[in-house]
């Protein structure tokens, strides 16, 4: 996931970010909805985020809206830009040694955690140690830290056990190590390193604090009065969980919520594109729609069969029917805006006949497969239905099934028998380094390796690229991953958002590395 950038010159923003009016089918035209006067921002989640807003546990998608507004790291990616660019956050200056092992940071002064305690260099080691102790998906980012030494309250040096060309990307990543109050962690440690406490509280330094976390119902934030930076315009943020996309659109069209930030179905996208009552935005991301094949079930245990299934899928048709105007067919294995176009090229020739020949010789039970998708993503539901039809034409009997986010993450590290044969998912890297996508997707212990596929040549190439930062090893890793038949990058996808016309600052609040989310303190009403 990650799964970053901020400022554009005015001319660049106009070219890279699409802003125009639109509306829903039942809006009926008329006057735009009025801006709120109470400084309360109402937005929504389509389905619950699926994980608590704990920065060392959270590893899903839409809940970045919580974690990135509650917590801050030493660095971050700029908002409002098309390409990733690191900028200061809790660190004001930094250096990196030529061998990618030693990193120094000069820290921002005058910052307090939400429990009122001061942010100092002591928080770095405490936050790293806590992430290691919790040992969830994002823990890999600090596992190679050899030492954290401090030079007073506002200078620190981090030394790694081995060269890591992606370390600054980790630090700036929306999933990277956030600074958490050492005193708060100690006070609320309990028996689980404060994990229980952080399900409905926060210990960050961000512009907002967590005031409600009612799983499956609502989340709420309030502006932190002692925030070190510019004070947010919106003093409170209400985020109901709306489990039906039509109900979400109705609330938006009626002015009850200010924006829909993610997972609008293609039919709704078309409606909003053609109605001038609302603003719509197509924003650059590092997001792709991937297909995962399960190497542990049925006919797909054979790599040749997996590759035949991949060849049988007409990706051009899928993309045209699903992402018209907000996405394109992927040409690289990695997500967009990550590698130069000459690397990691993906070329799969559409040919249904190979799978047809294989399917003709299979027993009936081997022809039956399940295609799964995340229940919060209407695009993947459509894609799964289209793939079902395409594979049926090649001789397979496929059923389509939805899965909640929490269950999807439960497949990781298992024998794959509870997972579907094929899984369609929109995903993004933890950070812009190719390693952060290759590792979480292709390595055996990757946090997004949902169906447990791996290959030694992939892991070896990724390790080489991590040490040097050179692009060729990452390109080799991608080529080896494609050979397994376990993965296919189908589409590079923009962030399509709709907003009430009075909501200002959307482009500046959007970060190319943080899809489905906005930096809420950048927003205002006008």
């Amino acid at each position: 996931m990650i799964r970053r950038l901020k400022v554009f010159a005015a001319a660049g923003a106009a070219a890279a970010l699409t802003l125009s009016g639109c509306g829903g089918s039942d809006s009926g035209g008329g006057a735009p909805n009025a801006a709120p006067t109470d400084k309360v921002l109402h937005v929504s989640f389509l389905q619950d985020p699926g994980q608590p807003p704990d920065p060392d546990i959270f590893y899903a998608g839409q809940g970045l809206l919580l974690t990135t507004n509650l917590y801050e790291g030493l660095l971050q990616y700029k908002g409002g830009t098309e390409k990733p660019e690191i900028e200061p956050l809790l660190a004001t200056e930094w250096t990196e040694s030529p061998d990618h092992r030693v990193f120094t940071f000069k820290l921002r002064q005058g910052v307090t955690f939400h429990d009122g305690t001061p942010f100092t260099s002591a928080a770095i080691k405490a936050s790293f140690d806590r992430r290691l102790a919790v040992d969830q998906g994002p823990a890999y980012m600090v596992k190679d830290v050899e030492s954290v030494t401090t030079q007073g309250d506002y200078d620190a040096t981090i030394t790694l056990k081995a060269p890591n060309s992606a370390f600054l990307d980790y630090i700036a990543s929306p999933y990277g190590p956030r600074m958490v109050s050492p005193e708060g962690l100690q006070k609320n440690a309990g028996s689980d390193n404060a994990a229980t406490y952080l399900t409905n509280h926060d210990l960050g330094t961000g512009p907002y604090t967590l005031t409600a976390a009612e799983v499956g119902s609502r989340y709420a934030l309030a502006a932190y009065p002692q925030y070190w930076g510019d004070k947010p315009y919106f003093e409170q943020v209400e985020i109901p969980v709306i489990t039906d996309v039509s109900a979400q659109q109705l609330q938006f069209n009626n002015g009850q919520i200010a924006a829909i930030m993610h997972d609008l179905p293609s039919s709704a996208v078309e409606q909003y594109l053609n109605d001038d009552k609302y603003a719509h935005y197509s924003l650059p991301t590092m997001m792709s729609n991937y297909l995962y094949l399960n190497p542990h079930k049925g006919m797909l245990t054979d790599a040749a069969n997996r590759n035949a299934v991949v060849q049988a899928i007409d990706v051009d048709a899928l993309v045209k029917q699903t992402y018209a105007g907000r996405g394109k067919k992927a040409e690289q294995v990695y997500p967009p805006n990550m590698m130069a176009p000459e690397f990691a090229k993906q070329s799969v020739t559409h040919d249904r006949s190979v799978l047809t020949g294989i399917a003709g010789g299979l027993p009936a039970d081997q022809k039956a497969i399940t295609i799964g998708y995340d229940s919060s993503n209407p695009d993947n539901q459509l894609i799964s239905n289209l793939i079902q039809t395409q594979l049926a034409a090649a001789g397979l009997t496929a059923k389509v099934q939805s899965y909640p986010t929490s269950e999807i993450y439960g497949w990781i590290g298992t024998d794959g028998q509870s997972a579907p044969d094929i899984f369609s998912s929109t995903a993004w890297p933890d950070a812009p380094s190719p390693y952060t996508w290759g590792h979480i997707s292709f390595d055996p212990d990757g946090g997004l390796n949902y169906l447990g596929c791996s290959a030694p040549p992939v892991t070896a190439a990724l390790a080489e690229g991590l040490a040097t930062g050179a692009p060729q090893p990452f390109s080799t890793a991608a080529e080896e991953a494609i050979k397994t038949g376990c993965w296919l990058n189908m589409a590079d996808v923009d962030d399509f958002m709709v907003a009430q016309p009075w909501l200002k600052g959307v482009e500046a609040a959007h970060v190319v590395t943080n899809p489905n989310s906005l930096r809420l303190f950048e927003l205002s009403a006008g």
Side-chain angles (χ1 to χ4, degrees):
M1 314 291 146
I2 126 38
R3 42 218 65 261
R4 299 177 201 177
L5 315 183
K6 255 188 164 195
V7 21
F8 253 89
L17 307 175
T18 302
L19 166 61
S20 57
C22 63
S25 60
D26 56 354
S27 66
N33 295 308
T37 58
D38 57 4
K39 293 198 172 182
V40 178
L41 178 67
H42 295 264
V43 289
S44 65
F45 287 140
L46 179 63
Q47 311 295 338
D48 193 82
Q51 293 174 304
D54 180 330
D56 298 322
I57 293 176
F58 181 80
Y59 211 32
Q62 59 180 323
L64 284 177
L65 186 67
L66 299 175
T67 55
T68 59
N69 284 288
L70 298 170
Y71 294 92
E72 295 173 315
L74 300 178
L75 307 172
Q76 68 178 2
Y77 286 96
K78 289 183 177 180
T81 66
E82 188 175 16
K83 300 292 183 182
E85 182 182 338
I86 291 176
E87 70 177 359
L89 192 53
L90 294 180
T92 58
E93 300 175 27
W94 64 95
T95 66
E96 176 181 5
S97 66
D99 65 353
H100 309 298
R101 283 197 63 228
V102 181
F103 302 81
T104 67
F105 298 90
K106 184 173 291 292
L107 306 183
R108 190 177 300 279
Q109 301 185 30
V111 178
T112 61
F113 289 101
H114 295 162
D115 62 0
T117 60
F119 164 69
T120 68
S121 56
I124 299 176
K125 187 175 188 305
S127 299
F128 285 13
D129 287 349
R130 196 263 174 171
R131 176 163 285 213
L132 287 171
V134 171
D135 198 24
Q136 296 292 310
Y140 78 90
M141 297 185 182
V142 295
K143 280 188 174 177
D144 285 339
V145 172
E146 181 175 83
S147 65
V148 178
T149 58
T150 59
Q151 298 82 45
D153 284 345
Y154 300 105
D155 291 275
T157 300
I158 300 171
T159 302
L160 306 183
K161 299 172 186 175
N164 186 330
S165 63
F167 189 69
L168 288 178
D169 287 307
Y170 294 174
I171 295 297
S173 163
Y175 300 102
R178 309 289 87 182
M179 294 298 101
V180 185
S181 165
E183 291 186 35
L185 288 175
Q186 184 176 21
K187 180 181 177 181
N188 300 286
S191 60
D192 59 3
N193 298 291
T196 297
Y197 180 78
L198 292 181
T199 59
N200 50 21
H201 300 81
D202 81 274
L203 291 168
T205 63
Y208 287 92
T209 64
L210 184 68
T211 56
E214 302 167 16
V215 176
S217 177
R218 66 180 278 267
Y219 295 80
L221 310 177
Y224 178 49
Q226 283 75 49
Y227 183 57
W228 61 267
D230 294 337
K231 300 300 184 286
Y233 172 86
F234 290 104
E235 297 170 356
Q236 297 180 54
V237 183
E238 285 287 336
I239 315 172
V241 176
I242 303 174
T243 58
D244 178 79
V245 68
S246 297
Q248 184 184 46
Q249 288 176 246
L250 182 61
Q251 290 198 28
F252 173 75
N253 294 345
N254 290 338
Q256 294 168 268
I257 56 178
I260 299 177
M261 301 182 196
H262 62 92
D263 294 326
L264 279 166
S266 56
S267 57
V269 170
E270 183 177 359
Q271 292 165 5
Y272 286 117
L273 283 170
N274 292 293
D275 191 320
D276 61 3
K277 184 178 178 182
Y278 308 108
H280 67 73
Y281 304 81
S282 189
L283 302 164
T285 71
M286 302 185 75
M287 183 163 51
S288 289
N289 189 285
Y290 278 85
L291 201 67
Y292 300 76
L293 283 77
N294 193 333
H296 308 293
K297 296 186 75 172
M299 66 167 289
L300 297 181
T301 56
D302 186 323
N305 291 352
R306 295 195 297 271
N307 278 295
V309 169
V310 170
Q311 281 186 274
I313 295 171
D314 186 347
V315 176
D316 284 302
L318 294 182
V319 174
K320 288 176 182 177
Q321 293 180 68
T322 309
Y323 291 115
R326 59 192 175 106
K328 63 180 182 179
K329 181 180 178 181
E331 297 181 353
Q332 292 178 290
V333 180
Y334 291 100
N337 300 312
M338 176 168 279
M339 295 196 77
E342 65 267 25
F343 295 108
K345 299 290 287 184
Q346 178 178 264
S347 179
V348 179
T349 303
H350 173 50
D351 184 355
R352 186 190 300 164
S353 66
V354 181
L355 180 60
T356 301
I358 293 172
L362 292 174
D365 63 332
Q366 292 280 298
K367 295 181 182 181
I369 63 172
T370 299
I371 303 170
Y373 68 94
D374 189 320
S375 59
S376 69
N377 192 311
D379 286 335
N380 282 297
Q381 180 179 13
L382 175 57
I383 282 175
S384 297
N385 289 334
L386 294 170
I387 291 174
Q388 177 189 39
T389 301
Q390 291 182 4
L391 296 185
L396 297 183
T397 303
K399 70 173 182 179
V400 173
Q401 182 173 334
S402 67
Y403 297 87
T405 301
S406 56
E407 184 174 348
I408 292 166
Y409 279 84
W411 301 334
I412 298 170
T414 70
D415 62 5
Q417 298 309 300
S418 63
D421 301 87
I422 298 174
F423 177 58
S424 171
S425 176
T426 302
W428 51 88
D430 290 354
S433 165
Y435 181 79
T436 63
W437 178 256
H439 169 69
I440 63 175
S441 301
F442 307 146
D443 273 343
D445 58 345
L448 293 185
N449 193 345
Y450 302 112
L451 305 183
C453 189
S454 62
V458 179
T459 297
L462 289 173
E464 180 184 349
L466 181 65
T468 66
Q472 188 54 56
F474 294 121
S475 189
T476 300
E479 293 160 7
E480 293 295 332
I482 286 295
K483 290 178 184 177
T484 68
C486 291
W487 297 279
L488 177 67
N489 184 4
M490 294 187 289
D492 296 335
V493 184
D494 290 340
D495 245 353
F496 184 85
M497 300 183 181
V498 291
Q500 305 295 345
W502 52 258
L503 188 66
K504 307 303 181 184
V506 172
E507 297 103 321
H510 183 266
V511 188
V512 69
T513 53
N514 306 17
N516 301 340
S517 180
L518 294 172
R519 288 181 177 155
L520 298 174
F521 69 90
E522 297 276 12
L523 301 175
S524 62

